[in-house]
Amino acid sequence: MPTKTLQIPTTDGQVDAFAAFPDRGERHPGVLLYTDAFGVRPELEEKARELAEHGYYVLVPNLYYRHGPAPVIELPEHIGEQIRPEVIGRLMPLVEAHTTERVLRDADAYLRFLTAQPEVSAGPVGVIGYCIGAALAMRTATAHPDQVAAVAGFHPGFLVTDAPDSPHRRVPELTAQVHLGLAENDMTPETISELNQALDAAGVGYTVEIYPGTIHGFTMSDTDAFNPSALQRHWDRLLPLLDRALTNS
């Protein structure tokens, strides 16, 4: 499985990024993968490799590149519940600095770079995200409806907020097929209803599903939130979505 460390040019500097793609000469559909709040690390690189094994070129940018290369802060091999608050406390200033304006500017650069890679086929791309990355994936999909044909988010954060620029307010502009896999504690029933109404208004195919027995972060095996059966359900939902939207098979 070939992998690369790449530099993506943006108006704000160079983004260090990880890419994985099939070990075959032909070109493959592109997938932009947004990390959770903990950022690029072996856990996310492994997810990119697994996705690449199914025939996709997967690009994983360092969301915090303005503050330095990944890992921007030192991370333990396992982010247990005892250390998690301290790690999140160090990351929150970086998350808060990642304004909507920056997100959209970066998304432009990421998609331009992804679609220009020689291993990436012409045609639509998929965008997926975990935790805060789900909100970034949704912002990317709504800002680029002509390019993004599939969007998926798992244990999403900040998808529906009271802010005037909340991601869900742009959802009616979507053209992509959508899957959102929620932990049991991610959203209230009222918030889910609000999100579903926005997706209905977009007129796209979508599923919003609560994965049973899960807490926030369930796909990440380097955290205490990890749930193996929910991780498998995530693949069982994600792979058919990408196949339908990107390969037309």
Side-chain angles (χ1 to χ4, degrees), residues 3-238:
T3 62
K4 288 182 183 176
T5 302
L6 300 162
Q7 295 289 321
I8 303 173
T10 77
T11 53
D12 295 346
Q14 296 283 321
V15 184
D16 51 305
F18 177 85
F21 48 95
D23 191 11
R24 302 191 291 275
E26 67 265 29
R27 298 163 79 194
H28 306 277
V31 174
L32 174 60
L33 190 160
Y34 285 113
T35 68
D36 59 2
F38 298 124
V40 182
R41 59 193 192 284
E43 173 73 16
L44 274 298
E45 293 174 359
E46 183 54 39
K47 281 183 168 49
R49 285 191 188 93
E50 184 156 351
L51 195 49
E53 286 175 3
H54 292 275
Y56 300 99
Y57 182 107
V58 187
L59 181 67
V60 189
N62 168 24
L63 306 181
Y64 307 129
Y65 71 91
R66 293 175 179 86
H67 307 275
V72 178
I73 70 164
E74 191 175 342
L75 292 170
E77 280 188 27
H78 185 85
I79 307 164
E81 280 309 302
Q82 285 188 313
I83 197 157
R84 182 186 177 97
E86 179 196 332
V87 175
I88 290 290
R90 293 168 66 196
L91 286 168
M92 277 316 291
L94 310 187
V95 173
E96 289 164 358
H98 206 50
T99 60
T100 301
E101 183 185 10
R102 285 183 170 185
V103 170
L104 294 176
R105 206 157 62 227
D106 288 349
D108 292 348
Y110 299 156
L111 290 181
R112 191 163 54 243
F113 183 87
L114 174 62
T115 55
Q117 295 312 294
E119 302 90 354
V120 175
S121 55
V125 301
V127 185
I128 64 179
Y130 301 87
C131 177
I132 62 164
L136 307 189
M138 192 63 78
R139 289 199 190 282
T140 302
T142 55
H144 297 271
D146 55 332
Q147 277 188 289
V148 179
V151 60
F154 300 94
H155 39 88
F158 308 108
L159 263 185
V160 180
T161 73
D162 293 332
D165 63 349
S166 172
H168 81 286
R169 301 190 199 283
R170 302 294 296 274
V171 164
E173 298 166 30
L174 268 180
T175 59
Q177 298 180 50
V178 180
H179 175 73
L180 297 172
L182 313 182
E184 289 187 344
N185 60 343
D186 276 336
M187 290 186 187
T188 65
E190 294 78 19
T191 305
I192 293 172
S193 176
E194 192 171 352
L195 181 59
N196 285 343
Q197 287 173 21
L199 287 161
D200 286 336
V204 296
Y206 75 91
T207 52
V208 176
E209 182 180 0
I210 297 172
Y211 288 20
T214 55
I215 59 174
H216 184 75
F218 58 78
T219 63
M220 300 297 165
S221 69
D222 62 352
T223 75
D224 286 353
F226 181 55
N227 182 312
S229 62
L231 175 64
Q232 186 55 52
R233 182 184 291 248
H234 137 285
W235 290 120
D236 292 344
R237 301 296 188 266
L238 177 60

